[in-house]
Amino acid sequence: MSNPKDLLIETCLLAGRIMMENGSEVYRVEDTMERIAKNAGEVNSVSYVTATGIFMSLRKDHFTQVENVGDRIINLEKVVAVNRLSREFAEKKIDLATLNAQLKRVNPDTPTFPFWLQVLGAGIVSSTLMYVFGGTWAEFIPTFFVGAIGFYSGTWIKKHVTMRFFDMFFAAFVIGVLAIVFAHFFANMNPDHIIIGAVMPLVPGVAITNSFRDIFAGHMISGQARGVEAVIVASAIAIGIATVLTLLGGLL
C-alpha cells in the first residue's frame, strides 16, 4: 500500500474488527486503535466503534474509513493476540507493515480447541452446573450427554441454516426433547435439572457482561445493541424449551 496513512487506517480497522468479532469490549477496541495510531505518529486520530461497524479517522487529513463487523463469537485468544501485537508495535519491535501483515494472520493462525473437545467441554459444564443448581448424581451422566448433543446440534445447524438465533432455538429444542425422553424412561430423573444444566453452554453470559461494561463506559449504543442480542439469544433458548414442553409435556 503506497500511502502510509492508508496503511495505518487499514491496520487500525483490522485490529478493531478482529477484537470486536471475538468478544472484546468497545472501549478496549477504541483504545487499541487509538494507541496504534498514536504510536505511528498520528496523535489526533478518532475512532468510533459499534457492535456492527467501526469508523476510523485522521483529523489532519479529513479522511475516514469504515469497516463492517461480521458474526460475533467469543475467542479471547484472538483478542490477546491483537493486544500483544499492539504492544510490540508500541515498543518498536515491529514496524507498521509487519503489524499489518501479522494481524492478517491472527484469524488463520490462532489455535482453537478441536470441535470434539468443545463438545466434551459442553457436556462437562452441563453436568457439573446441573449438580450445582440442585440436581443429583443420578442425573449427572444423562445431563452430560444431553448438554454435549445440544451443543453439537446447535453448531451443526448454524453451519447449514443462515437464520440468526435459529441455532439456539434448535439446540434448546433438542435439549428439551432429550431431557423429557430420559425423564420418561427413568423415574428418578427430573427433566428440569437436566434442562437447566444442559442449556448453560448456550447462555450468552459474556455478551451480557460486555453489554453492561460498555454501558458503564459510556458506549450506550453498543451496550444496548449487545444487550438486545443477548436477550434475543436467551429468548430463543426459552422458546425452544417451551415448544418442547408444550408438545411433549404429556410424557412426563
Side-chain angles (χ1 to χ4, degrees):
M1 189 172 292
S2 57
N3 191 335
K5 294 185 178 180
D6 288 342
L7 178 61
L8 172 60
I9 291 186
E10 177 190 318
T11 303
C12 292
L13 290 174
L14 178 58
R17 179 172 59 82
I18 293 172
M19 295 179 73
M20 279 301 298
E21 289 179 346
N22 290 280
S24 181
E25 305 91 333
V26 168
Y27 70 86
R28 194 183 305 275
V29 175
E30 290 185 349
D31 180 69
T32 298
M33 294 172 62
E34 291 172 3
R35 285 179 183 273
I36 291 175
K38 182 177 180 180
N39 290 317
E42 293 290 339
V43 295
N44 290 320
S45 64
V46 178
S47 62
Y48 179 70
V49 178
T50 70
T52 57
I54 301 174
F55 301 80
M56 184 70 186
S57 176
L58 303 179
R59 290 186 186 274
K60 293 189 299 183
D61 299 273
H62 305 288
F63 183 60
T64 302
Q65 286 191 16
V66 181
E67 182 73 38
N68 289 327
V69 176
D71 191 22
R72 292 171 296 281
I73 61 174
I74 303 300
N75 190 336
L76 299 183
E77 287 283 349
K78 295 182 180 181
V79 177
V80 171
V82 173
N83 286 332
R84 175 179 55 80
L85 291 171
S86 174
R87 286 193 297 270
E88 290 181 359
F89 179 65
E91 296 169 359
K92 309 300 181 182
K93 295 181 179 179
I94 57 176
D95 58 16
L96 185 62
T98 303
L99 174 62
N100 182 273
Q102 293 192 16
L103 284 173
K104 291 178 179 178
R105 299 300 309 169
V106 167
N107 281 327
D109 289 353
T110 300
T112 58
F113 293 109
F115 183 61
W116 67 266
L117 189 57
Q118 295 179 39
V119 173
L120 178 64
I124 295 173
V125 168
S126 300
S127 55
T128 52
L129 289 179
M130 175 278 303
Y131 188 77
V132 169
F133 288 124
T136 64
W137 286 110
E139 298 158 342
F140 192 89
I141 298 300
T143 305
F144 172 87
F145 284 107
V146 172
I149 294 172
F151 180 84
Y152 175 87
S153 62
T155 305
W156 181 85
I157 203 70
K158 186 176 183 178
K159 293 180 180 178
H160 296 83
V161 179
T162 56
M163 183 185 302
R164 284 183 60 83
F165 310 114
F166 183 74
D167 56 326
M168 295 292 102
F169 168 83
F170 185 80
F173 185 87
V174 170
I175 288 170
V177 170
L178 293 176
I180 290 179
V181 168
F182 272 110
H184 179 72
F185 288 103
F186 301 95
N188 63 334
M189 295 185 184
N190 188 332
D192 294 342
H193 296 161
I194 297 176
I195 290 172
I196 290 172
V199 300
M200 284 298 112
L202 309 179
V203 173
V206 176
I208 295 172
T209 302
N210 285 347
S211 171
F212 280 103
R213 295 185 70 174
D214 286 340
I215 291 174
F216 292 152
H219 298 280
M220 304 300 295
I221 295 177
S222 296
Q224 293 180 51
R226 282 183 165 178
V228 170
E229 184 178 30
V231 169
I232 294 175
V233 170
S235 300
I237 296 171
I239 293 171
I241 298 298
T243 302
V244 173
L245 295 177
T246 301
L247 298 176
L248 303 179
L251 295 176
L252 299 176

